[in-house]
Amino acid sequence: MLVRITPRRVSFILRSYRNISRTMSVDSTPSVSVTLPNNIAVDPITTELKRPASPKVEDVKVQTKKSKKLKKYKAKKVDDTAPLGVLKFEINEVLKKFNLTPEQTETDVTPILNDVRNGTIQRAYNRELQNIEVIKITSNGDGLALIDNPVDPEKKQIALIPFTLPGDVVSIKVDKTHPHYVEASLLNVIKPSAIRNDDLISCRYFGRCSGCQYQFLTYEQQLGLKKDTISSAYKFFAPRLLAESLLPSIDDTVASPLQFAYRTKLTPHFDMPRKMKQLETRPPLGFGQKGRTSWRGVEAGGNASIIDIEECLIGTPIINQGMKNERAKFETNYKNYKKGATILLRENTKIINQDQPVEEQLDDGSKDISTNNISHEIVESNKQLVKTCVTNTRQIVTEYVNGYTFQFSAGEFFQNNNSILPLVTDYVRENLIIPHSNPQDPHYLVDAYCGSGLFSITASKGVDKVIGVEVSADSVSFAEKNAKANNIKNCSFIVGKAEEIFASIDTPCARTSVIIDPPRKGCDDVFLNQLAEYNPARIVYISCNVNSQARDVEYFLKETAAGSKYKVESIRGFDFFPQTHHVESVCVLSRV
């Protein structure tokens, strides 16, 4: 019996029985013969096989090797008042001194970027140079020098060299080339500047750590450089005021009572190497490394970006104890981290009851892992204080400034040098007083960017009403609590953008002074125009970035409707961070 089956059934039968034979005829016509049980035979089934047609030539896509795309230099977008923005002004001063144009010191970096690692072109630029004289020091604490272009004898380059001073003659290694300057490392000081004194250096990490720049200078010299920084800022960012003699002489910078052991907050950090899922060895924990210097032969662990720091001489004793504790903890738990992190070290101060055991009164803080006890330091004064190191960003900490108590979240902003705060707050309060006032005259204060109430509260005496404004609701909450804790009843605080505050201020402008303490970027035009429209009697502008302060002051006086009614009464720096290039500035403006 012949049974005709379909290919699908054939497939089923082939899977069901192993006694299958497949044959192909000579004429390439396939035939399938299957022997089934019970003598069932199957007729051959023919299927026409067609070979796929060859593609036409025009249908074939020819694979061509793409030419390698050239790498291009990507310039970072920076604010003119940021360090890299200010550097452009400082480089221009060097060019003017030597009668050079920007084109004469410009470098085409495209060949460098597209050369193989350590190739011929890169080696030509990344060279060692001897007997280089430093011309100028920047506001960021680095030296500037003029060097020859390695491939074009008609051109020069500007070298940025950390840990150098004007007059130093040094040997350097060029590490990185930018279009308008090169970054270099200091290899050796061949002939020191007249103001350099390396015997003053007390930190073993100085020369590699990016934290300090001025340890080889006397403190008086440091204060002088910071005064120069303020002068340069107003020269760069308030040129019209300078040209029209509308600026007073810069006052001497106020010294910090402590030059070391003053920082109440440090943030050591570490990085996770790329494409690494788990750390196999402990990475360096510390601060950023400045160049690849070898001039001091500093022996410290680290990599190209972070130097391993065991102690920081500008940190307070309890902060350094906290660093020791957290480093010991990190030795055992670093493998638990999946990415790089920053460790907070914030000083916390508390008044203790001398009749009770100190340990029972301590807030949570960094612990000594060998004893599991919270590390603390007792300070003898008219009140017995105990200091601990907090590592939790959300923990509430306490500081005492000029007799006032302030609480805030450990991770929030608060000034990091408590030793100078009484001098600053007294200076601000004194300069808020409206001239020619009688004791019975009302006096009001508006504190823009008030934070947790530092200036509002310390300046509250002698005024009838204080209104503090802050964009952060948490900061306003702390400001209200701090006013209550200090029994200050004439302060109120509101949440709102500083750019819109004057719409809700009801105090008479002729009897109102305004404090401005913005972030580093300074104030925007909207705020400054509203400030001018409000037309207060006095303005005290406190700034951690003197460059943005100078820009804002010129805009206020020259571009706002009421700016011409004001004059700059004084400009003075305060040294919040000795041994570093940082300086804070207070500018006082009053109605003419």
Side-chain angles (χ1 to χ4, degrees), residues 165 195-204 206 214-222 260 296 313 579:
L165 293 166
I195 62 174
R196 173 189 281 270
N197 184 356
D198 287 351
D199 292 337
L200 296 173
I201 300 172
S202 56
C203 177
R204 60 176 167 145
F206 183 78
Y214 292 162
Q215 285 193 26
F216 41 38
L217 294 171
T218 66
Y219 191 47
E220 290 73 20
Q221 290 169 334
Q222 294 183 34
F260 288 94
R296 289 194 66 217
L313 295 188
Q579 317 307 326

Side-chain angles (χ1 to χ4, degrees), residues 194-410:
I195 62 174
R196 173 189 281 270
N197 184 356
D198 287 351
D199 292 337
L200 296 173
I201 300 172
S202 56
C203 177
R204 60 176 167 145
Y205 303 109
F206 183 78
R208 284 186 63 187
C209 176
S210 61
C212 295
Q213 297 79 39
Y214 292 162
Q215 285 193 26
F216 41 38
L217 294 171
T218 66
Y219 191 47
E220 290 73 20
Q221 290 169 334
Q222 294 183 34
L223 296 176
L225 284 180
K226 297 186 181 193
K227 180 179 178 179
D228 293 342
T229 293
I230 298 174
S231 297
S232 295
Y234 277 86
K235 177 172 60 176
F236 297 151
F237 295 99
R240 288 180 290 173
L241 301 184
L242 194 64
E244 297 175 26
S245 301
L246 296 178
L247 292 173
S249 299
I250 307 298
D251 292 329
D252 291 339
T253 303
V254 176
S256 170
L258 296 176
Q259 285 88 58
F260 288 94
Y262 62 82
R263 281 204 66 141
T264 55
K265 177 185 176 183
L266 289 175
T267 51
H269 53 277
F270 69 94
D271 290 337
M272 173 76 82
R274 291 182 179 180
K275 299 181 180 180
M276 182 176 287
K277 295 183 179 180
Q278 186 176 28
L279 292 167
E280 298 298 330
T281 58
R282 182 184 70 78
L285 175 64
F287 306 112
Q289 182 161 231
K290 190 78 169 180
R292 300 172 178 83
T293 58
S294 61
W295 64 286
R296 289 194 66 217
V298 177
E299 294 182 2
N303 54 33
S305 59
I306 296 178
I307 183 171
D308 206 41
I309 300 286
E310 295 181 5
E311 64 174 344
C312 177
L313 295 188
I314 62 174
T316 63
I318 193 61
I319 289 294
N320 274 292
Q321 181 59 50
M323 181 181 289
K324 181 180 178 181
N325 294 345
E326 298 310 307
R327 284 180 60 86
K329 188 188 302 182
F330 189 61
E331 287 283 353
T332 60
N333 67 5
Y334 67 87
K335 289 187 177 181
N336 298 335
Y337 288 91
K338 302 301 180 184
K339 58 182 180 180
T342 297
I343 296 175
L344 171 69
L345 304 171
R346 163 68 83 173
E347 183 174 287
N348 179 35
T349 308
K350 185 176 183 179
I351 298 175
I352 59 173
N353 186 339
Q354 300 183 40
D355 297 330
Q356 296 179 10
V358 173
E359 288 74 11
E360 295 179 2
Q361 303 177 65
L362 296 179
D363 297 325
D364 191 23
S366 179
K367 294 183 178 181
D368 185 325
I369 64 170
S370 61
T371 64
N372 204 36
N373 294 330
I374 297 173
S375 297
H376 61 277
E377 176 195 13
I378 297 176
V379 180
E380 298 292 344
S381 61
N382 56 339
K383 297 178 181 178
Q384 192 168 26
L385 306 177
V386 62
K387 294 181 179 292
T388 56
C389 179
V390 168
T391 59
N392 183 349
T393 59
R394 300 191 66 82
Q395 186 171 333
I396 297 175
V397 297
T398 305
E399 289 295 353
Y400 297 90
V401 179
N402 221 7
Y404 295 95
T405 302
F406 293 93
Q407 288 192 330
F408 50 93
S409 292

